Amino acid sequence: MPKELSVRVVGECCQLATTTMDDAAAARIAPMFKALGDPVRLRLAAMIAAQDEICVCDLTPHFALSGPTISHHLKILREAGLVDCERRGTWVHYWIQPAALQSLSTLLQAPIPR
Amino acid sequence: MPKELSVRVVGECCQLATTTMDDAAAARIAPMFKALGDPVRLRLAAMIAAQDEICVCDLTPHFALSGPTISHHLKILREAGLVDCERRGTWVHYWIQPAALQSLSTLLQAPIPR
DNA sequence: TTCCTATCTTGACATACTTCGAAACAGTGG
DNA sequence: CCACTGTTTCGAAGTATGTCAAGATAGGAA
């Protein structure tokens, strides 16, 4: 087994390499990536991030999907902690959670690109 | 909290906000997030990123999964462009594709946190 | 050479989860 | 009351995950 030959250059790629990605950490973080792993949700997240906040009624027209389906995708983004929302009168407003995006970004970031 | 102070800070959250996330872009990028959206694959990616390169035989023992299942997950990481591999003799060696991780990181990064 | 073993991938399959729309429900305001 | 907005529920269709068995590739022994 070539274990001795693959010299441990730990930490030279990115945080992903140095972070203790045990079972629990993976189970906590994976749902966030999973939420962004759907084209509709990725576009929804981008549209929400592009403004201070945005009404669902402004999101729906951009997709060839029913209201319930958009609502379902928004719920997944919400449960992943990537967005939050509040009802104000008739409309529900969504906004991005920058800290969540930042934590994912840091995880993937390469301080010492090779 | 005076809402006028944080009005329309388009592009101030992250690249995700400014990137043209049209249908095509979303379809291209989402599979990468999706690949990382599974706890097993996230741990695999972390283990691969933690070394210059690593043999499949060194990955498998860390999981309570069969060889074929690990191979399946590695294939998904490979097809997403997050890792690459090469057979050398008996063993197959995997390594991370730092550029792919970096592009995802940049997308999520918040240059001007708010 | 031929046979055998080890490593990894692929194919076939059962089970579980995702996605989506139709209908029903809940909250707001005229 | 009614109209409007958005969410939830339910079911059908599609997709993903995991195991077992078989195939492909490499290398060593007889």
Side-chain angles (χ1 to χ4, degrees):
Chain A
M1 225 166 266
K3 209 171 277 182
E4 287 71 19
L5 290 179
S6 46
V7 181
R8 322 209 80 239
V9 281
V10 175
E12 286 198 10
C13 167
C14 55
Q15 289 297 112
L16 184 59
T18 54
T19 299
T20 306
M21 188 59 70
D22 57 8
D23 236 335
R28 193 181 66 250
I29 298 168
M32 300 197 209
F33 283 124
K34 188 173 190 174
L36 294 175
D38 178 275
V40 172
R41 290 195 292 267
L42 189 54
R43 286 178 59 203
L44 281 171
M47 294 172 70
I48 294 170
Q51 306 203 18
D52 200 39
E53 60 179 46
I54 187 166
C55 171
V56 175
C57 62
D58 289 332
L59 292 170
T60 307
H62 290 89
F63 299 85
L65 294 171
S66 68
T69 299
I70 297 296
S71 185
H72 162 73
H73 285 301
L74 288 172
K75 183 179 184 178
I76 290 177
L77 289 172
R78 218 188 312 137
E79 290 177 343
L82 298 174
V83 304
D84 200 0
C85 70
E86 188 185 57
R87 176 163 208 148
R88 284 203 289 280
T90 304
W91 294 282
V92 177
H93 298 260
Y94 276 77
W95 58 88
I96 205 78
Q97 299 275 51
L101 296 188
Q102 183 61 58
S103 70
L104 295 182
S105 175
T106 303
L107 192 64
L108 298 174
Q109 197 167 24
I112 309 175
R114 52 178 173 184
Chain B
M1 195 276 223
K3 187 152 151 259
E4 286 69 23
L5 289 179
S6 55
V7 168
R8 315 214 91 240
V9 279
V10 176
E12 287 196 13
C13 165
C14 56
Q15 290 296 113
L16 185 60
T18 55
T19 299
T20 307
M21 188 60 70
D22 56 9
D23 237 335
R28 193 180 67 251
I29 298 168
M32 300 196 209
F33 283 124
K34 188 173 189 175
L36 293 175
D38 178 275
V40 172
R41 291 194 292 267
L42 189 55
R43 287 178 59 202
L44 281 171
M47 294 172 69
I48 294 170
Q51 306 202 18
D52 203 37
E53 59 180 46
I54 187 167
C55 170
V56 176
C57 62
D58 288 331
L59 292 170
T60 306
H62 290 90
F63 298 85
L65 294 170
S66 66
T69 299
I70 297 297
S71 187
H72 164 73
H73 284 300
L74 288 172
K75 183 180 185 180
I76 291 176
L77 289 172
R78 217 189 312 138
E79 290 177 344
L82 298 174
V83 304
D84 200 1
C85 69
E86 187 185 55
R87 177 165 207 147
R88 283 201 291 280
T90 304
W91 294 281
V92 176
H93 298 260
Y94 276 78
W95 57 88
I96 205 79
Q97 298 275 50
L101 296 188
Q102 183 60 56
S103 71
L104 294 183
S105 174
T106 303
L107 192 64
L108 298 174
Q109 196 168 25
I112 309 176
R114 52 177 172 181

